[in-house]
Amino acid sequence: MYDWNFNVIWDYRIVYMRGALITLELSLLAVVFSMSLGLFVGIARHSKRYILSFPASCYVEIFRDTPLLIQIVWIYYCLPILLGVTLTAFWASTVALSLHMSAYVAEIFRAGIVSVDKGHVDAAKILGLNYFQTMTRIILPQVFRRMLPPLVNNFADILKLSALASVIGVYELLHSVDNVIMNNFRPLEMYSVLALVYFVLIFPVAFGARRAELYFARRI
Amino acid sequence: MTPTVPAIQLQDVKKRFGSLDVLCGINLEVDPGGVVCVIGPSGSGKSTLLRCIAYLEDDFEGKIYLEGDLLGRALRNGHLERVGGAALRKVQIKVGMVFQNFNLWPHKTVLGNIIQALILVKKMTRTEAEDIGDQLLAKVGLSDKRKEYPSRLSGGQQQRVAIARALAMRPRIMLFDEVTSALDAELVDEVLQVMKQLAEEGMTMLVVTHELGFAARVADRVVFMDKGVVIEEGPSEKVLKNPSQLRTREFLSLVTHEEI
Ligand SMILES: Nc1ncnc2c1ncn2[C@@H]1O[C@H](COP(=O)(O)OP(=O)(O)O)[C@@H](O)[C@H]1O
Ligand SMILES: [Mg+2]
């Protein structure tokens, strides 16, 4: 019979807190970058111009169809060799996570843009709105409501996937906890609490999104 | 007397989608202030015709003149070249269009729909734009709905907002594509009434419609189209009551049958 002992955890509360901070930092940066990048790639992918849509499609497929773990390792170890650019482990993870998730964000945006009634765009065109105005005033505001749930889903994914940064030694939650386990040999307790900490980070996001969705649903 | 320049003039306009010939050489003229109704079976290319004139379809052959100006094309050394940018906008802005499905923007209020282009395209201040918006809403009888979202309006009301939105840009020519086809029968008249008033004010109108009663009362001329070709064109009285072509007669008897 395993002898559970959660008392030791309290001593490591600062480890969890520091780890959570790094996880949050990493994730928030990745959210901001992947959203901006994904928006552009999604719009490019939707473009009628092959010169825009083809590279965008390649981009999406490359980053979506290969493991994030390899992307992290690759950016960390190969970028210095190929481009002479050295990134810290934290930034290499941030970049990899941003690129990886931007492929998903691009698909969310593209699907959203496609879902807007063509007639709304026709109406905008006849009234003289240009492409940028139509995109920012007519298409994206409509799409945003529909995209909120998948985008939030994405944010939750990012928080969980950021644990992969541990492979190159970023002291986010998982790596910090792993480090402690090597000393106290309490993996089950440490991991159980770790899961709880992730839950505490992610649940409010999901909950807030649900509220936002309901709020918008009432407005239309 | 100088000859008047037609408000709309089409010369041998052709349009194809892939291998499908949708418009097969359309010639058409609409006088300034004229009201022309286009009738014809579904799939005959009526919507495509309007969409070319609105430049929503830019890939057509032939020439479209709006008040004498070539739409989306320029003649250079005898060659017809495509133009975009300001040269296109200057001509395209003459046209307003209303669609079967209204195409109001659901995330904007009634007033928001009407003033959006005034602010973004005509660079008006919000106050100026709202003044114009309110005038137009009064004109179509919807002043009390200015802050509503489109989804809370009836189809007839939505279509009147769509007309107001198009009018806000002060178009010289209005295109109507089966604007009452998606409406419940009891809502058709309120929209036709607005259109009739517009015609009486002297707006040039090209109207695709199945409402033959409206065509008879309001249109000067009627065009019957089938399979991308203008089969018959003439004064509305003549085309509707005493058509010269067999196909027109067949179509009219079919439509009138459905209505009874
Ligand atoms: N964007 C498009 N792509 C391919 N075919 C189209 C497109 N728009 C219209 N068509 C085809 O062109 C023909 C004429 O359509 P349309 O102009 O809508 O006719 P109408 O308005 O008289 O019913 C139809 O056969 C239709 O299927
Ligand atoms: Mg049609």
Side-chain angles (χ1 to χ4, degrees):
Chain A
M1 189 61 192
Y2 184 76
D3 183 18
W4 293 89
N5 179 4
F6 277 103
N7 293 335
V8 300
I9 303 294
W10 186 245
D11 298 337
Y12 298 109
R13 59 190 182 282
I14 199 77
V15 173
Y16 283 103
M17 277 197 277
R18 280 210 197 111
L21 211 60
I22 302 288
T23 290
L24 268 181
E25 232 177 287
L26 180 59
S27 302
L28 286 175
L29 283 168
V31 165
V32 172
F33 291 148
S34 65
M35 287 279 284
S36 341
L37 198 57
L39 173 60
F40 282 107
V41 176
I43 289 174
R45 202 167 179 211
H46 176 254
S47 169
K48 273 182 289 185
R49 290 186 208 136
Y50 201 62
I51 193 157
L52 289 177
S53 65
F54 182 70
S57 297
C58 292
Y59 177 92
V60 168
E61 294 308 335
I62 287 170
F63 282 102
R64 222 173 33 158
D65 304 348
T66 55
L68 173 59
L69 183 68
I70 296 175
Q71 291 166 15
I72 291 174
V73 171
W74 200 89
I75 287 177
Y76 189 51
Y77 291 109
C78 296
L79 226 49
I81 300 170
L82 291 177
L83 299 176
V85 182
T86 310
L87 295 176
T88 62
F90 177 83
W91 281 104
S93 314
T94 304
V95 169
L97 195 54
S98 303
L99 293 176
H100 186 78
M101 294 318 285
S102 71
Y104 289 89
V105 173
E107 279 304 277
I108 294 170
F109 272 110
R110 190 189 60 85
I113 292 169
V114 170
S115 76
V116 169
D117 192 331
K118 267 283 281 144
H120 296 172
V121 178
D122 285 343
K125 222 182 205 176
I126 292 200
L127 291 167
L129 273 66
N130 62 32
Y131 180 81
F132 180 78
Q133 291 168 334
T134 306
M135 193 50 94
T136 54
R137 308 302 176 101
I138 307 302
I139 298 180
L140 291 179
Q142 285 191 54
V143 166
F144 182 68
R145 278 149 225 215
R146 263 169 260 170
M147 288 187 325
L148 204 60
L151 283 178
V152 169
N153 217 355
N154 219 38
F155 185 27
D157 279 346
I158 288 179
L159 278 163
K160 286 180 278 184
L161 285 171
S162 65
L164 288 174
S166 59
V167 296
I168 55 171
V170 177
Y171 277 96
E172 44 65 65
L173 270 168
L174 180 62
H175 190 52
S176 312
V177 167
D178 274 341
N179 217 34
V180 170
I181 290 170
M182 287 199 276
N183 296 318
N184 72 0
F185 306 108
R186 285 280 161 198
L188 297 188
E189 290 85 347
M190 291 295 288
Y191 282 142
S192 302
V193 172
L194 176 62
L196 193 67
V197 173
Y198 273 113
F199 183 85
V200 168
L201 290 183
I202 294 170
F203 182 75
V205 177
F207 185 74
R210 181 80 198 118
R211 298 307 301 258
E213 206 184 323
L214 289 175
Y215 170 78
F216 284 132
R218 238 179 293 119
R219 270 194 53 196
I220 290 212
Chain B
M1 224 178 79
T2 50
T4 52
V5 179
I8 309 173
Q9 185 180 24
L10 273 66
Q11 288 179 359
D12 200 25
V13 171
K14 295 176 185 160
K15 169 72 196 166
R16 46 176 28 198
F17 288 111
S19 59
L20 182 69
D21 288 306
V22 178
L23 299 178
C24 314
I26 304 283
N27 292 291
L28 186 70
E29 268 186 31
V30 181
D31 291 332
V35 178
V36 174
C37 279
V38 181
I39 60 173
S42 145
S44 56
K46 306 180 297 294
S47 295
T48 306
L49 177 71
L50 293 199
R51 292 175 60 84
C52 286
I53 298 171
Y55 213 66
L56 290 174
E57 306 291 347
D58 52 8
D59 191 20
F60 54 82
E61 284 172 47
K63 293 182 206 152
I64 298 177
Y65 290 95
L66 300 178
E67 298 185 319
D69 295 326
L70 253 177
L71 173 69
R73 306 282 186 274
L75 273 170
R76 292 212 182 88
N77 312 323
H79 288 289
L80 213 50
E81 280 178 13
R82 271 212 209 200
V83 292
L88 166 64
R89 290 292 324 142
K90 194 182 72 113
V91 185
Q92 192 188 23
I93 200 88
K94 295 173 193 261
V95 176
M97 182 162 174
V98 186
F99 305 85
Q100 183 173 346
N101 300 319
F102 329 132
N103 290 338
L104 294 177
W105 302 312
H107 60 297
K108 298 208 169 287
T109 61
V110 163
L111 195 61
N113 265 273
I114 297 175
I115 65 175
Q116 181 71 89
L118 292 176
I119 293 171
L120 291 179
V121 182
K122 294 215 162 163
K123 311 290 180 203
M124 286 185 188
T125 65
R126 178 163 286 271
T127 332
E128 289 172 328
E130 284 186 353
D131 275 352
I132 293 178
D134 283 329
Q135 284 167 25
L136 286 164
L137 279 175
K139 184 184 170 100
V140 299
L142 289 171
S143 295
D144 53 329
K145 304 287 184 197
R146 66 200 291 274
K147 288 292 175 199
E148 292 284 7
Y149 283 91
S151 59
R152 318 231 334 170
L153 270 50
S154 74
Q157 291 170 334
Q158 290 189 50
Q159 197 58 293
R160 283 186 280 155
V161 173
I163 293 173
R165 179 176 70 175
L167 291 176
M169 296 302 282
R170 296 190 146 270
R172 311 274 303 158
I173 297 159
M174 282 286 282
L175 309 175
F176 294 86
D177 190 4
E178 296 199 33
V179 292
T180 57
S181 297
L183 299 180
D184 294 335
E186 72 272 17
L187 301 177
V188 168
D189 274 341
E190 61 187 69
V191 174
L192 291 182
Q193 195 52 44
V194 171
M195 290 165 66
K196 184 162 177 282
Q197 190 194 336
L198 207 55
E200 283 161 1
E201 290 167 10
M203 176 66 79
T204 305
M205 295 166 51
L206 188 57
V207 185
V208 172
T209 186
H210 291 306
E211 298 288 334
L212 298 185
F214 176 83
R217 272 178 287 121
V218 181
D220 316 313
R221 300 177 78 77
V222 170
V223 173
F224 172 66
M225 267 180 79
D226 193 13
K227 299 195 175 76
V229 178
V230 173
I231 304 288
E232 182 162 0
E233 201 247 313
S236 35
E237 182 88 350
K238 165 86 173 59
V239 176
L240 294 173
K241 297 259 168 63
N242 190 16
S244 60
Q245 300 294 317
L246 180 62
R247 261 155 76 200
T248 318
R249 240 170 296 166
E250 282 171 353
F251 173 76
L252 287 173
S253 74
L254 211 73
V255 175
T256 1
H257 251 89
E258 273 173 11
E259 277 181 355
I260 294 168

